[in-house]
Amino acid sequence: MTESEYKEEDFLQLSGLQHFSFCRRQWALIHIEQQWNENVLTVKGNLFHEKVHDGYSSEKRKNVIISRGMPIHSRTLGVSGECDVVEFVQKEEGITLPNRKEKYILYPVEYKRGKTKVTDEDRLQLTAQVICLEEMFLTEIPEAYLFYGETRRRECVEITKELRTECIKLFLEMHQLYERGYTPKVKKTKKCEACSMKSICLPKLEKSRQVAAYISKYMEE
């Protein structure tokens, strides 16, 4: 299947990219096996997003249109989801919107509960949103924003070629695993301790399972 062949019924959840880039097994347990488990961090994250928006809404403040909970999709990535916030800023070099004379440039803003991460999970999710909006509005979006609740600061993210390439690569892998219905095996790391899926994934038992399987095979032989 090529990127251009994705149909709506084949779309994956855009939000799953953050799970996948954090841990492929976590993503598969949630999105393939339909398992889920809450912990304090996920509950706080959900409450934080509810404060940002509750369904789709739009308002205009001077030369900026603020859209909350906007549904987005991309047929090239094969994904759908929504943006926390999309800001349409009036600029001459922008694009024309339906029923409006002015031109606008777009800036998606993704809200996160914690603080800036060293890893790229948040930036990759934001990149996916950018790719969706570029496809939907036939425009280019060179930068977007992450807002972190812990620091109360907005971080500008340059949507680089490297982020775009990695985003496309990860979604392709996600589609392949989803079509196979395959859940990757445990690869225990420090991240496992904070994972909301720890009690379902049971990473500490994986080594025991491997030893048991080895003994069983040895006895059979």
Side-chain angles (χ1 to χ4, degrees), residues 12-14 16-17 20 27 32 169-179:
L12 299 176
Q13 292 182 32
L14 187 150
L17 179 62
F20 192 79
W27 172 81
I32 295 178
K169 173 187 171 185
L170 290 176
F171 271 118
L172 181 59
E173 188 180 346
M174 288 164 68
H175 278 285
Q176 291 170 344
L177 289 177
Y178 194 86
E179 288 171 12

Side-chain angles (χ1 to χ4, degrees), residues 6-67:
Y6 291 121
K7 299 177 181 178
E8 190 171 342
E9 57 265 30
D10 299 320
F11 285 0
L12 299 176
Q13 292 182 32
L14 187 150
S15 59
L17 179 62
Q18 188 177 37
H19 297 141
F20 192 79
S21 54
F22 176 79
C23 172
R24 284 155 171 73
R25 179 172 172 82
Q26 184 200 67
W27 172 81
L29 288 171
I30 296 170
H31 296 271
I32 295 178
E33 297 189 15
Q34 300 292 304
Q35 300 192 61
W36 180 245
N37 196 31
E38 295 278 13
N39 68 4
V40 174
L41 294 178
T42 58
V43 170
K44 286 183 176 179
N46 291 336
L47 291 173
F48 182 70
H49 276 83
E50 286 176 9
K51 290 181 180 178
V52 178
H53 65 84
D54 182 15
Y56 176 73
S57 66
S58 181
E59 64 175 300
K60 193 172 188 302
R61 297 180 183 176
K62 296 184 178 180
N63 66 335
V64 181
I65 300 172
I66 302 172
S67 176

